[in-house]
Amino acid sequence: MDGKGFGKGFGKDKDAKGLVRAIVQSQAVPGGRWDNDENTLFVGGLPPDMTNLEMYQMFAPFGPIAPRGATAMLDKETGKCTGIGFVNYMDKEAAEKAIRSLNSFPFQDGTWLTVKKKGPPKNKGEGKGDGEGKGRGK
């Protein structure tokens, strides 16, 4: 070996996130490119300590998930889960099995998990105000 890099994605410093990013971008794994589609699930009612890894561990048994396709949404200030997440399944059957099995799963405190197909995105500020923008100078 001559001590040089191994090609795409491997530079002087290696890290796990960089490796995953390089593999996905090179399309070396199936599902490297995915979109939020009918196989994307919304998950609500998650606890504050939920992580992407735990999301993956909870949802992977139902079927293949896209690379980086299990995400717990984190608060930028606290780093804790905001209570929601998303899972991008590779096939429809897996998504449907996860919904059937985990939707309304009860927590000991009386709350429950919500698992459903992701709906269309809401516009920021939808339903607020009179539609007259402030500070935009006309």
Side-chain angles (χ1 to χ4, degrees):
M1 298 198 93
D2 60 6
K4 292 186 180 178
F6 293 97
K8 287 185 185 177
F10 291 98
K12 184 175 165 189
D13 297 322
K14 292 192 288 186
D15 65 356
K17 287 183 181 181
L19 175 61
V20 170
R21 188 179 318 108
I23 289 172
V24 169
Q25 287 175 348
S26 72
Q27 298 180 359
V29 294
R33 294 213 177 260
W34 51 267
D35 294 312
N36 287 328
D37 58 14
E38 67 274 359
N39 300 330
T40 300
L41 301 184
F42 166 86
V43 184
L46 296 170
D49 62 343
M50 182 61 69
T51 66
N52 292 351
L53 176 59
E54 289 160 332
M55 288 282 292
Y56 179 82
Q57 291 171 333
M58 194 165 58
F59 287 93
F62 298 101
I65 295 173
R68 298 184 298 198
T71 306
M73 303 306 290
L74 303 180
D75 182 279
K76 290 178 183 175
E77 291 180 20
T78 66
K80 293 185 178 197
C81 180
T82 61
I84 65 171
F86 299 94
V87 179
N88 297 86
Y89 278 105
M90 300 299 290
D91 62 66
K92 185 177 180 179
E93 293 78 27
E96 290 172 353
K97 282 194 291 187
I99 292 170
R100 283 193 305 271
S101 297
L102 298 179
N103 188 41
S104 299
F105 190 87
F107 287 98
Q108 290 180 342
D109 69 357
T111 61
W112 58 89
L113 201 60
T114 299
V115 181
K116 62 185 180 179
K117 287 190 178 187
K118 180 182 176 285
K122 292 181 179 169
N123 293 328
K124 274 199 168 196
E126 188 173 89
K128 294 181 182 179
D130 59 5
E132 296 291 321
K134 294 183 179 176
R136 299 201 180 173
K138 290 190 175 187

